Amino acid sequence: MVKQSMKKYNNRPIIGWLYRISTLKCFNYLQNALIVAFPIIVVNGFLETILQTLMTDNGFFVVTFHLEHFVASNVVLINQLTVLVKLLQVFANTIIAVQFSRNVAKSLDNNITCGAMTAFSFIILSIKLGQSNELIFIIHGVTFALLTGLGVSKCFDFFRVEVNRDNNDYQNSLISTLANIRPILCIIFGILVLKILNFEIYSNGINVRIQSIIQTNLTDNHYSLIPMLLIIFLRSISKFMGISTDSIFDFSTRAQLVNLNHALKFSHPVAAVYPTAYSTLYSCFVHLGGDGMLLALVIVVLIIGENKHLRRLLTWSFIPTFFNFSEPVMVGFPIMYMPIYLIPFIMSPLVTTIIVYPFLKYNIIPTPVYPVPNGTPGPLMGFIATGGNILTLLLGLFCLIVSCLIYLPFVKAEMKLINLEHAKISPPLKDKF
């Protein structure tokens, strides 16, 4: 019966192709590396949610319940929590890099040394000196961590020396230890090269130039639909691949200020100068639960998901995702590098943009121009930014429902694949949890 079911799904081109991709060894290594870091990431998600909503002057709960005195009286705690959140982000990515390098390393003899050098390499690459020679941590994306782990493991594999099993343990350990000198030197040289290149990029302001070019082109086109879709597509692809591009795509400050000044002048956010500004559209309608409209995915899995372990995982991830911190879902589910979710992850923001664009373009709803507190739940972003417009709230909820419908067939497909794989490997077991 299981073989017939597998054959049935393999005969469907998309399902069969996605299934074959998901069973590749490299994909299993990748998924294993991500899930190992999930506990750290979900804890960090809760801490970041608390920090942004409850411990900043513009936090959602601070503004809603007038907790400014609480923030002012806990500056030391807030500073320590800010440092802790950054360190946990670096630590989680270090775990991903180490686990991935140990998975792909061919020699078990070098496994511990390879993991240690991966951790060292990633931490060194995540640190830079400030103007006063203080240490500053740079938050790299997951892909950078994976590439670090892959590079270190391949370096150890390249210089690997086969040991003679006839020798005693001390001789084999000595041979392996001496063989590690060359890959370590090679890795340190590579780190120095990457640090110099990184310094040149930031000192010459290349990332700032790219951001300025994108912002200028969008403004010159009056934020027309096609450039907007292109930017959202590129952002979604980069997030899906774990590439940190916030410095490139986090712009439109000028449009926000122009729209806000216009609204204050006429006492109403109608007929804004840039009604379809990137920040307006993306933040208030396309970023519900983070990139890819991930709040929709969480809702769908919690409602129809049959796998209890995935439901528990997303239950832990729901609160951070509700406040637009999507890292636990991206890494723990995982969405990142998961072939079956590439289509809905990209399609949901694009479809939402197409739905919302005419409403803003033709002033059917007010332009969201007012500042929104940090950590505001996704569905309330547009509502608060328009000064409490009910139609804007309903439009945001409608976009969330549409995104749920987009994710629905893909969630069902993955649940069936998981059940088929479980039935193929072992007989049904009573769930221990």
Side-chain angles (χ1 to χ4, degrees):
M1 182 68 181
V2 174
K3 291 183 178 179
Q4 292 178 350
S5 299
M6 292 296 295
K7 185 176 180 181
K8 173 184 176 183
Y9 282 98
N10 284 329
N11 287 336
R12 298 180 182 179
I14 296 179
I15 299 296
W17 178 76
L18 293 174
Y19 175 75
R20 287 191 295 271
I21 291 293
S22 66
T23 55
L24 292 176
K25 185 179 291 187
C26 61
F27 180 81
N28 291 331
Y29 287 161
L30 179 66
Q31 201 171 26
N32 179 259
L34 294 176
I35 199 65
V36 166
F38 174 74
I40 301 297
I41 291 174
V42 74
V43 169
N44 193 54
F46 276 101
L47 291 178
E48 191 166 7
T49 301
I50 294 171
L51 181 65
Q52 294 297 326
T53 60
L54 192 60
M55 295 189 174
T56 59
D57 292 332
N58 192 38
F60 177 71
F61 291 121
V62 174
V63 174
T64 304
F65 299 106
H66 304 289
L67 302 176
E68 291 81 3
H69 178 72
F70 171 80
V71 174
S73 60
N74 289 276
V75 175
V76 176
L77 174 62
I78 293 170
N79 291 339
Q80 295 302 316
L81 187 59
T82 302
V83 173
L84 180 61
V85 166
K86 277 197 171 186
L87 289 177
L88 282 176
Q89 287 177 324
V90 175
F91 182 47
N93 286 337
T94 304
I95 291 176
I96 293 172
V98 170
Q99 185 65 27
F100 190 65
S101 69
R102 297 185 65 183
N103 286 342
V104 301
K106 295 180 181 179
S107 175
L108 294 177
D109 297 328
N110 292 333
N111 204 278
I112 296 177
T113 308
C114 180
M117 280 305 299
T118 301
F120 170 79
S121 302
F122 186 80
I123 291 173
I124 293 298
L125 292 172
S126 299
I127 294 175
K128 72 174 183 178
L129 290 177
Q131 294 180 350
S132 302
N133 290 329
E134 73 277 12
L135 294 180
I136 300 175
F137 280 96
I138 306 170
I139 307 301
H140 292 296
V142 172
T143 295
F144 187 86
L146 295 172
L147 290 175
T148 302
L150 180 63
V152 172
S153 64
K154 291 303 179 184
C155 190
F156 273 93
D157 288 339
F158 182 79
F159 291 103
R160 182 179 53 163
V161 175
E162 295 293 340
V163 296
N164 188 351
R165 296 301 175 184
D166 295 331
N167 296 334
N168 57 44
D169 292 339
Y170 175 77
Q171 288 178 319
N172 288 337
S173 298
L174 184 60
I175 292 172
S176 298
T177 300
L178 294 175
N180 287 336
I181 295 177
R182 286 182 294 177
I184 289 174
L185 289 174
C186 181
I187 291 166
I188 291 176
F189 176 77
I191 290 173
L192 290 175
V193 172
L194 289 175
K195 294 290 284 185
I196 293 172
L197 289 175
N198 185 66
F199 175 79
E200 291 296 326
I201 290 173
Y202 278 91
S203 62
N204 292 322
I206 295 176
N207 58 326
V208 177
R209 294 179 190 177
I210 295 174
Q211 179 180 347
S212 178
I213 291 171
I214 296 173
Q215 182 173 355
T216 301
N217 289 335
L218 277 179
T219 306
D220 290 344
N221 287 282
H222 299 289
Y223 296 89
S224 57
L225 182 60
I226 299 302
M228 189 76 65
L229 291 175
L230 177 61
I231 294 298
I232 291 175
F233 173 80
L234 293 175
R235 175 167 181 147
S236 299
I237 285 288
S238 65
K239 288 292 184 179
F240 183 83
M241 296 180 64
I243 301 173
S244 180
T245 55
D246 290 338
S247 61
I248 295 178
F249 293 113
D250 186 15
F251 51 75
S252 291
T253 303
R254 185 176 68 175
Q256 286 178 304
L257 292 176
V258 171
N259 286 341
L260 179 59
N261 289 333
H262 187 273
L264 294 175
K265 180 178 179 180
F266 294 96
S267 302
H268 198 276
V270 175
V273 179
Y274 300 113
T276 57
Y278 172 84
S279 58
T280 297
L281 198 152
Y282 195 86
S283 300
C284 296
F285 299 99
V286 188
H287 197 251
L288 307 187
D291 294 281
M293 299 284 287
L294 286 182
L295 182 59
L297 171 67
V298 174
I299 292 172
V300 171
V301 174
L302 291 179
I303 292 176
I304 70 162
E306 300 175 359
N307 188 288
K308 293 183 178 180
H309 303 298
L310 288 180
R311 286 171 59 89
R312 286 187 63 190
L313 187 148
L314 288 186
T315 300
W316 277 105
S317 306
F318 177 77
I319 292 179
T321 306
F322 184 69
F323 291 95
N324 296 327
F325 300 105
S326 59
E327 285 78 8
V329 180
M330 290 293 296
V331 175
F333 193 71
I335 294 296
M336 203 174 293
Y337 291 104
M338 191 76 165
I340 199 169
Y341 288 113
L342 173 61
I343 296 174
F345 187 82
I346 295 174
M347 186 183 297
S348 293
L350 296 179
V351 172
T352 301
T353 302
I354 294 172
I355 292 173
V356 174
Y357 190 87
F359 282 85
L360 293 173
K361 179 71 175 178
Y362 300 107
N363 296 315
I364 300 175
I365 61 172
T367 303
V369 298
Y370 299 118
V372 177
N374 295 334
T376 298
L380 297 179
M381 294 280 287
F383 177 73
I384 294 176
T386 54
N389 184 267
I390 298 298
L391 183 58
T392 305
L393 175 63
L394 295 177
L395 180 61
L397 294 176
F398 175 74
C399 291
L400 183 61
I401 293 172
V402 170
S403 295
C404 289
L405 295 176
I406 292 174
Y407 274 105
L408 182 61
F410 296 91
V411 172
K412 286 184 175 180
E414 194 204 12
M415 293 300 134
K416 289 176 181 177
L417 288 174
I418 290 175
N419 292 337
L420 290 173
E421 182 65 20
H422 184 267
K424 180 182 177 182
I425 293 176
S426 61
L429 296 175
K430 186 175 181 181
D431 187 66
K432 296 181 182 180
F433 299 93

